[in-house]
Amino acid sequence: MSFHPEIFLQQIVNGLVLGSIYALVALGYTMVYGILGLINFAHGEVVMIGALTALSVILALHGAAPDLPAALYILAGTLVAIPVTMTLGYTIERVAYRPLRNAPRLAPLITAIGVSIVLQNVALLVWGRSYHPWPPILPTTPHTFLGANITDLQIFIVAGAAAIMAGLTLLVNKTKLGRAMRATAENPAVAGLMGVNVNVIISITFVIGAALGAVAGVMVSANYQIAHYYMGFILGLKAFTAAVLGGIGNLAGAMLGGLLLGLIESLGAGYIGDLTGGFLGSHYQDVFAFFVLILVLVFRPSGLVGERVAERA
Amino acid sequence: MQTRLLSAGVFAAIAALALAGCGKEEPKPAPKAEAPAAPAAPPPPPELVVKIGHVAPLTGNIAHLGKDNENGARLAVDDLNAMGIVVDGKKLKFELVGEDDQADPKTGTVVAQKLVDAKVNAVVGHLNSGTTIPASKIYNDAGIAQISPSATNPTYTQQGFKTAFRVMANDVQQGSVLGEYAAKNLKAQTIAIIDDRTAYGQGLADEVEKAAKAAGAKIVAREFTKNDATDFTAILTKIKGKKPDVIFYGGMDAQAGPMLKQIKTLGIKSKYLTGDGGCSPELIKLAGDAAEGIYCSQAGLPLDKMPRGADFAKRYKDKFNTDVQIYAPYSYDAVLVIADAIKRANSAEPAKIVAALPATATDGVTGKVQFDEKGDVKNGAITVYTVKGGKLEVLEVQGGSPMAQAVSAVKAEVKEAVKEAEKAAGDAAKAVEKEVKKVEEAVKK
């Protein structure tokens, strides 16, 4: 077995891009979990709706004016998709989660799965079951660093994910809204007594998470040049895994977990066959990723950087 | 999908059981239209109605292909009725009983049962492998011949059903053509193979691997993905390190599209080859200019290369005022094959049709139709295409590999000989039995 450094570097790049996408989606899971202790399984579908809405706008705009710069199309698509998913996020919380806030923890989990199925079918009705390709607006010629190829978009994805993560951390730690969020996370009842409007804070959290979902959706579908009604399910599952790996409820943990998961998958698929002499193939890439997850959880049940949280009532 | 298939299978089994329960009680001959109480004039030859069931999806997203199949069969039925075939002193009147299976395995078994209950003499269909395979059990239990014009999954004819036939090359034949094409025509010494872990993708990829190895190429990587994946960069990067001459993908266009874009981004220079699942205009739509110059195959001949294709296309257009999609010539031939079997059997009884089908040698629109011992068409053609200027362009047409044909011919001959020997032995035994009975009777007397 020969080792090619440029192939290894390419796998690292692949892993970073994939990991940044996971991280962006994982932020949406981790924010909601951090405040409510609820796993919002519908988040993957919010990402999907964001992606398809943006793509519809981009296609319409591209049909009307085919010669604008690529960034303009994407910006327009994202700007339309964000309010759509924000409304969606607010509605989901208001309809499916708020009435169940004091119900046993299993109940909102079930409604989350229900919302996810409903959203998939709504998307199926609106956009149909076919795969929707992006118009050829993005430059496809990659840059080459030391033999590894990376496109403008991929650089933007990695940088954008890092920037959004940093922005969110600032929001949570340095602003008044962030303080209210942290207070709600600590103890909603006491935060309410201290003058925090808990319902509003929770709604805002959902709306921010959904907006991030729209951005993530646009990035994912732009990267793969494709969008369809089922894309949110697998992506959501992987991102949730990433969030748990990093320590769910922790913003830096989501980022770390996402990047790590992306790298593990990429290097796993790339080298597992050669390392095991062909005994395990690239179809074990997910098995490999989940094996790492189990290992981490056995030794650190709250994730890599998650703090031990006291059992909440 | 798994559970759907499973439940369809269970349903098929239940339906078949129910059928076995009630089917045996009524071995009545095919309905005969009696000539009306004849006046003095010489009576016209009595008519014998032959019902041919046809199943394809007539609703849903491949409804256009289903309608195409049905039109092909309808054209054949009209042609046959115009010919006025007389069998056993009766004039045959063919009727087409069309059903819609919605490309859904469950519905497929329901309409199959419906056709059995309607006492059709033979069935042309279904269109998809996924519906054809569960339905084939129902037809087999009812003893009704089934000829699929378009199902390519090898399993269909490998279940040991004497009633299952197809007039289109299966994925084994396609795989061997693709593997040889990669090694010989594309001059590939090293090949990387990816499949999507579905019955279709994996099956085809395995056949390609076998054929490519036999033709002297080396498989440098065998990678896997899933039929809902969108990210292939990790396996493609690994393949890039192996620098194969050709990358083969066994799977559908929905994955091949993004995969081609990622191949371009990663700067992989290998040629790209895929099967009929990725050989569609849809692929070109998804991959855009990244599809340019790839190679892919479809089972079957292009219409203008068929022996009577041009004539068929014209008559089809005149009659239905639309162009042939893909499989209409095959469903046309399937009906011809059934009519031929009725002629040779001198009867339209389902059992006699089934018995006559293996010896088929019919000149159809698509060429000479003959079946091998499993019920697969012999020498099924495979067409290799390339993408040029955003369109599929025919590169060349290949029959099944000559070696395989020779082998199956020899096998058939051996089987024939064995059968004859068995028959001879059976006859001898019967003769002895008769003699014994005679003696016994004589003794009683």
Side-chain angles (χ1 to χ4, degrees):
Chain A
M1 174 189 131
S2 54
F3 183 79
H4 304 280
E6 75 277 5
I7 295 297
F8 182 73
L9 195 66
Q10 181 73 59
Q11 293 289 25
I12 298 283
V13 170
N14 296 341
L16 283 178
V17 174
L18 189 62
S20 300
I21 290 169
Y22 288 160
L24 263 182
V25 183
L27 284 176
Y29 279 98
T30 225
M31 273 182 68
V32 169
Y33 187 89
I35 305 267
L36 276 182
L38 163 75
I39 299 162
N40 178 15
F41 271 118
H43 188 63
E45 266 56 55
V46 173
V47 172
M48 173 269 295
I49 301 256
L52 280 166
T53 310
L55 180 55
S56 297
V57 172
I58 290 168
L59 280 173
L61 196 61
H62 187 255
D67 293 318
L68 304 175
L72 204 66
Y73 291 115
I74 296 180
L75 192 69
T78 315
L79 286 182
V80 176
I82 286 177
V84 170
T85 57
M86 279 175 149
T87 318
L88 194 65
Y90 176 79
T91 316
I92 292 172
E93 196 273 327
R94 190 72 192 75
V95 173
Y97 301 146
R98 194 179 296 181
L100 294 167
R101 196 166 296 153
N102 296 316
R105 287 184 87 169
L106 218 48
L109 197 71
I110 303 290
T111 52
I113 294 170
V115 168
S116 157
I117 294 171
V118 168
L119 287 181
Q120 257 182 41
N121 282 283
V122 167
L124 184 63
L125 283 176
V126 176
W127 285 284
R129 60 179 75 238
S130 59
Y131 284 61
H132 299 279
W134 270 55
I137 49 170
L138 292 163
T140 47
T141 24
H143 307 283
T144 308
F145 298 110
L146 306 167
N149 288 0
I150 188 165
T151 59
D152 290 339
L153 181 77
Q154 289 172 330
I155 296 172
F156 178 72
I157 288 174
V158 175
I164 287 175
M165 208 274 303
L168 264 184
T169 312
L170 279 182
L171 176 86
V172 170
N173 291 328
K174 302 283 177 204
T175 64
K176 204 175 159 197
L177 175 67
R179 191 168 352 132
M181 281 177 164
R182 280 180 285 138
T184 309
E186 200 72 37
N187 190 327
V190 177
L193 290 175
M194 298 294 144
V196 175
N197 189 335
V198 175
N199 277 338
V200 169
I201 294 298
I202 290 174
S203 288
I204 289 177
T205 311
F206 268 89
V207 166
I208 294 177
L212 287 180
V215 176
V218 173
M219 286 186 180
V220 176
S221 70
N223 189 35
Y224 299 121
Q225 298 276 295
I226 212 163
H228 61 116
Y229 81 97
Y230 199 62
M231 64 184 278
F233 181 72
I234 303 283
L235 188 65
L237 212 62
K238 289 281 174 66
F240 172 66
T241 310
V244 174
L245 183 65
I248 193 158
N250 184 308
L251 292 178
M255 192 75 189
L256 183 70
L259 288 178
L260 213 61
L261 190 68
L263 285 172
I264 292 169
E265 279 193 2
S266 176
L267 294 174
Y271 290 100
I272 192 169
D274 289 343
L275 288 178
T276 57
F279 177 63
L280 298 175
S282 46
H283 46 317
Y284 281 87
Q285 85 177 69
D286 288 354
V287 177
F288 204 55
F290 284 106
F291 182 68
V292 173
L293 176 71
I294 292 170
L295 270 190
V296 168
L297 290 185
V298 164
F299 292 105
R300 286 192 63 92
S302 49
L304 285 175
V305 292
E307 300 113 36
R308 245 169 226 287
V309 202
E311 269 307 309
R312 263 226 305 256
Chain B
M1 208 50 202
Q2 286 288 349
T3 46
R4 257 173 96 185
L5 271 179
L6 192 68
S7 60
V10 169
F11 186 85
I14 293 169
L17 276 176
L19 182 78
C22 59
K24 275 175 194 150
E25 290 156 25
E26 33 197 352
K28 282 178 194 157
K32 285 176 201 168
E34 293 290 336
E47 271 188 352
L48 177 63
V49 175
V50 179
K51 287 192 198 167
I52 295 188
H54 182 276
V55 194
L58 301 175
T59 50
N61 55 3
I62 54 168
H64 58 296
L65 297 180
K67 194 71 199 162
D68 187 50
N69 277 19
E70 190 176 289
N71 284 346
R74 197 168 293 282
L75 190 58
V77 162
D78 291 352
D79 285 358
L80 288 169
N81 283 337
M83 272 195 261
I85 302 166
V86 178
V87 158
D88 199 15
K90 297 183 207 83
K91 188 169 174 287
L92 295 187
K93 184 171 184 297
F94 288 90
E95 269 176 19
L96 195 70
V97 185
E99 289 290 346
D100 174 16
D101 68 10
Q102 300 164 16
D104 170 46
K106 255 183 283 181
T107 316
T109 55
V110 172
V111 297
Q113 186 58 48
K114 214 168 147 191
L115 287 179
V116 170
D117 292 344
K119 300 208 172 51
V120 294
N121 300 67
V123 174
V124 174
H126 303 192
L127 191 151
N128 311 75
S129 294
T131 51
T132 303
I133 295 171
S136 64
K137 170 114 179 62
I138 293 178
Y139 299 126
N140 182 57
D141 291 349
I144 294 175
Q146 176 192 15
I147 305 183
S148 173
S150 49
T152 58
N153 189 307
T155 313
Y156 168 50
T157 50
Q158 285 171 358
Q159 304 171 98
F161 294 162
K162 287 203 163 54
T163 50
F165 297 88
R166 76 175 116 218
V167 289
M168 166 158 290
N170 69 20
D171 288 341
V172 176
Q173 291 160 312
Q174 187 179 184
S176 78
V177 167
L178 280 170
E180 272 186 31
Y181 192 85
K184 298 206 173 121
N185 299 48
L186 301 180
K187 302 204 169 34
Q189 291 176 340
T190 50
I191 300 178
I193 293 178
I194 309 172
D195 77 59
D196 67 356
R197 301 272 95 185
T198 62
Y200 162 71
Q202 192 180 350
L204 188 59
D206 286 345
E207 296 304 328
V208 168
E209 180 170 352
K210 263 188 245 164
K213 272 184 185 160
K218 199 172 158 233
I219 309 298
V220 290
R222 181 77 205 258
E223 299 299 330
F224 312 95
T225 181
K226 276 180 287 190
N227 60 344
D228 55 7
T230 42
D231 188 300
F232 312 99
T233 48
I235 54 174
L236 289 174
T237 302
K238 182 181 171 191
I239 287 172
K240 186 185 182 188
K242 310 268 183 191
K243 297 193 176 59
D245 297 327
V246 166
I247 297 175
F248 174 80
Y249 176 60
M252 302 306 290
D253 43 19
Q255 276 66 48
M259 192 187 287
L260 280 167
K261 285 194 169 167
Q262 288 163 32
I263 284 177
K264 199 178 173 197
T265 308
L266 287 170
I268 297 173
K269 300 278 183 277
S270 313
K271 288 172 181 146
Y272 190 85
L273 180 70
T274 186
D276 57 338
C279 202
S280 64
E282 182 75 7
L283 171 82
I284 300 168
K285 198 179 109 196
L286 291 177
D289 56 355
E292 205 63 16
I294 68 153
Y295 301 86
C296 64
S297 71
Q298 280 176 6
L301 286 167
L303 197 58
D304 58 344
K305 292 260 168 65
M306 288 176 189
R308 282 153 53 197
D311 171 56
F312 179 84
K314 190 180 168 298
R315 290 198 303 128
Y316 184 98
K317 174 106 189 177
D318 287 348
K319 190 164 178 75
F320 303 110
N321 198 24
T322 171
D323 285 317
V324 172
Q325 292 284 349
I326 315 179
Y327 303 124
Y330 293 90
S331 61
Y332 182 92
D333 278 4
V335 177
L336 287 196
V337 164
I338 291 169
D340 179 64
I342 293 175
K343 261 192 272 178
R344 282 184 292 111
N346 204 28
S347 161
E349 271 177 54
K352 298 253 171 77
I353 297 177
V354 171
L357 276 174
T360 296
T362 313
D363 278 313
V365 172
T366 60
K368 194 170 183 91
V369 180
Q370 283 177 299
F371 297 116
D372 67 9
E373 67 271 25
K374 284 205 207 87
D376 281 328
V377 70
K378 276 188 195 168
N379 194 19
I382 305 288
T383 309
V384 182
Y385 293 82
T386 187
V387 177
K388 207 173 179 186
K391 282 208 174 86
L392 287 170
E393 206 168 82
V394 177
L395 273 183
E396 70 164 77
V397 180
Q398 291 196 3
S401 77
M403 257 321 273
Q405 271 172 46
V407 168
S408 68
V410 168
K411 267 191 195 157
E413 266 171 30
V414 170
K415 271 211 171 160
E416 205 77 352
V418 169
K419 257 189 207 158
E420 263 170 30
E422 272 172 5
K423 208 184 158 197
D427 285 351
K430 266 184 200 159
V432 170
E433 250 176 41
K434 257 188 193 169
E435 288 301 321
V436 170
K437 264 190 190 163
K438 265 185 197 167
V439 170
E440 272 175 4
E441 271 170 24
V443 168
K444 270 183 196 166
K445 274 176 191 168

